[in-house]
Structures are given as C-alpha cells and as structure tokens.
Amino acid sequence: AQSVTQLDSQVPVFEEAPVELRCNYSSSVSVYLFWYVQYPNQGLQLLLKYLSGSTLVKGINGFEAEFNKSQTSFHLRKPSVHISDTAEYFCAVSDLSGGSYIPTFGRGTSLIVHP
Amino acid sequence: DGGITQSPKYLFRKEGQNVTLSCEQNLNHDAMYWYRQDPGQGLRLIYYSQIVNDFQKGDIAEGYSVSREKKESFPLTVTSAQKNPTAFYLCASADGTDTQYFGPGTRLTVL
C-alpha cells in the first residue's frame, strides 16, 4: 500500500522568507501527486498537481513543486511567503499501479508565517 | 457555479442519536468520498463511492453509514454506534485524474 510522509509537522518562517515543505512517498512506477491547502475551519483546495510531463509544476499563490522520481519526493516551495500563507498543507499521492482510485494523504504540515 | 456543498456547517448530537450530514455536488463527478479529520491526524477515509448505487468502506467505517441513490448526493449518517464522533467531516468528489474537490466541512460535536 502507498504511504505518504510529510517530514515536518510544523514549519515556522518569517514573512518574505523562502519555504520548502517536504513530501516523500513509497516507491511506485506510476503516480499522480498533489498538494492541497486548508485554511482554518475550511475544506481543502488544490494548490497544484503533477500528472505527467515537466517535473516542475507551478500552482496557485506562487507555489511550485518538483517531482523527483529517483528520490520519490514532491517537495513544495515558495520563494517569498506572506502572512496569508499560514495554513495546513497536505501532500497526496494516487498510485496508478494499484488499481485503486483513492489518493493517500500525508498527515499535513502546518505553515506558520510570522511578521 | 460548480462545487461541493455540505450542510449543516455545525451539528450537535446527543448521546444515542443518529445524525445525517449532507453532501451535494454539481460537478458531474462519479467518485465521492467522506473523510474524518481530527487535530494532528490528517484525513481518514470513512466511505467512498465510485458510481451510483455502489459504495465501499474506508479505513474507519465502523459507526457510519452512507447511501448513493443519486450521482449528485452522498449523505453520511453518524450512528449511535460511533462512540467518539466529535470531529470535522469533509466530503469530496474526484475527477478522472483523482483530483479531489472538497466541500467546506461539517463540524460535529457530541453534547
């Protein structure tokens, strides 16, 4: 079964600093990869996704992520964060080889942006 | 405006009571999901449905039931058998690339 590890449960950072949120998944030949964001007391919304093609994926709000097949990683980055980026971020993976259409979610990383 | 709606936003349950959470989508998606979210535990899958009139148990189905009589609707019932139902419940639908679209959530509290 697929597993997803978000290595940091909490990432504090100052406003305008760069940030990287890490995500690793168990090995698979073929996957879809996702990052979602959740603001307090709201549902999740899609930030970006990798389905195929270029390994560098750009999403909303200035975020981007890079798919690294050899390291089975999909880390999320932003060059300069804003206070409004404070939220919970979830990485998710769909394992296309398993025949299941249920993405596996990581436990989430809380990004806290300080002024 | 396409999307997922959940109601109510807040729900209170007394001991021994069944309650039903509503989830509706107008995205024409076949697949729908229910998740439970507790602090620090991420999302846990309760039930999912990939087509009308069919649904499957997820990781934590005990004490919950669902129905899928219409493509647009996937209600979740929290039964009295669920001993610790206080949580944030999220409904989602998915398109053909497994991209999930979430509703705003229902926060259930046991009195």
Side-chain angles (χ1 to χ4, degrees):
Chain A
Q2 183 69 252
S3 66
V4 178
T5 303
Q6 292 185 240
L7 295 159
D8 304 298
S9 59
Q10 206 171 76
V11 173
V13 64
F14 285 107
E15 196 173 17
E16 298 183 8
V19 71
E20 180 180 81
L21 306 184
R22 297 179 291 169
C23 175
N24 287 87
Y25 60 95
S26 46
S27 180
S28 175
V29 174
S30 186
V31 292
Y32 291 157
L33 299 161
F34 308 86
W35 275 100
Y36 293 88
V37 60
Q38 184 181 33
Y39 299 102
N41 296 312
Q42 295 185 26
L44 282 68
Q45 62 185 85
L46 182 70
L47 263 182
L48 49 78
K49 61 184 176 184
Y50 169 81
L51 303 180
S52 65
S54 173
T55 57
L56 183 63
V57 179
K58 293 190 184 297
I60 62 172
N61 301 339
F63 283 93
E64 63 181 32
E66 185 150 24
F67 169 48
N68 188 318
K69 188 172 183 178
S70 62
Q71 296 188 6
T72 60
S73 69
F74 191 54
H75 300 334
L76 181 71
R77 293 191 286 261
K78 186 170 182 177
S80 176
V81 295
H82 190 268
I83 294 285
S84 60
D85 292 323
T86 295
E88 193 83 13
Y89 291 80
F90 291 93
C91 179
V93 179
S94 278
D95 186 341
L96 305 181
S97 64
S100 165
Y101 300 93
I102 307 167
T104 301
F105 283 83
R107 288 193 152 206
T109 296
S110 178
L111 176 63
I112 302 168
V113 181
H114 297 286
Chain B
D1 229 1
I4 303 236
T5 57
Q6 290 186 243
S7 62
K9 188 171 177 65
Y10 298 98
L11 186 57
F12 299 92
R13 193 193 93 164
K14 295 179 182 178
E15 293 287 340
Q17 190 179 41
N18 292 356
V19 292
T20 297
L21 284 60
S22 169
C23 176
E24 304 279 329
Q25 56 105 352
N26 61 4
L27 299 169
N28 200 34
H29 291 162
D30 287 315
M32 296 188 75
Y33 308 79
W34 273 106
Y35 294 94
R36 171 178 171 144
Q37 188 175 29
D38 297 281
Q41 293 201 36
L43 301 175
R44 291 187 289 169
L45 183 65
I46 304 172
Y47 268 97
Y48 64 100
S49 168
Q50 293 184 335
I51 199 167
V52 174
N53 293 322
D54 187 51
F55 48 84
Q56 306 295 330
K57 292 182 179 180
D59 301 320
I60 57 165
E62 186 175 348
Y64 300 97
S65 66
V66 293
S67 63
R68 187 84 188 278
E69 297 176 3
K70 299 187 300 182
K71 189 174 187 176
E72 302 80 17
S73 180
F74 191 40
L76 173 74
T77 296
V78 183
T79 75
S80 56
Q82 172 48 245
K83 296 307 177 190
N84 184 23
T86 294
F88 191 51
Y89 290 86
L90 287 163
C91 179
S93 68
D95 65 18
T97 64
D98 294 350
T99 303
Q100 300 216 327
Y101 298 78
F102 287 83
T106 293
R107 188 166 296 281
L108 174 62
T109 302
V110 174
L111 298 176

